[in-house]
Every structure is written in structure tokens, then in C-alpha cells.
Amino acid sequence: MGNIGVQELLLILLIILVLFGARKIPELAKSLASGIKEFRKASKETDDDTNKQ
């Protein structure tokens, strides 16, 4: 699965652009970033709670 080349990545980005349109991509990226941020925060809190016990 780690063998994704430049051509495959460009194809995926092109498909995303066609499906969602240029106006929606910044909104999708922003929501994805906030989701990742929340996941990392929850993961860190879980690790902190585990280490305290």
C-alpha cells in the first residue's frame, strides 16, 4: 500500500477536484484538519490517563 506514485496521487487529487469542486476543497481540508487535531488531543489525553495509573 505504500507504493503510491506521483501519477496515482495526481489522479486521486483530480478525482477529488471533480467530485467536490474547487470551492469545497478548502472547507473539506479545514474540517479534516480539525478532525485530526481532535483525534490527537484525545489520543494524548488517553496516554496521559494511562501513564498516571
Side-chain angles (χ1 to χ4, degrees):
M1 186 174 147
N3 296 334
I4 296 177
V6 175
Q7 291 177 338
E8 290 87 3
L9 187 59
L10 289 174
L11 181 64
I12 292 169
L13 292 174
L14 180 65
I15 291 171
I16 290 172
L17 181 63
V18 169
L19 289 176
F20 295 108
R23 293 183 183 171
K24 291 286 185 180
I25 292 177
E27 294 175 20
L28 291 171
K30 187 176 183 180
S31 64
L32 180 63
S34 67
I36 292 171
K37 182 179 177 183
E38 288 294 321
F39 178 78
R40 287 183 180 170
K41 181 181 175 185
S43 177
K44 184 178 179 186
E45 289 175 357
T46 303
D47 288 343
D48 290 344
D49 290 344
T50 304
N51 290 336
K52 287 180 182 179
Q53 294 177 356

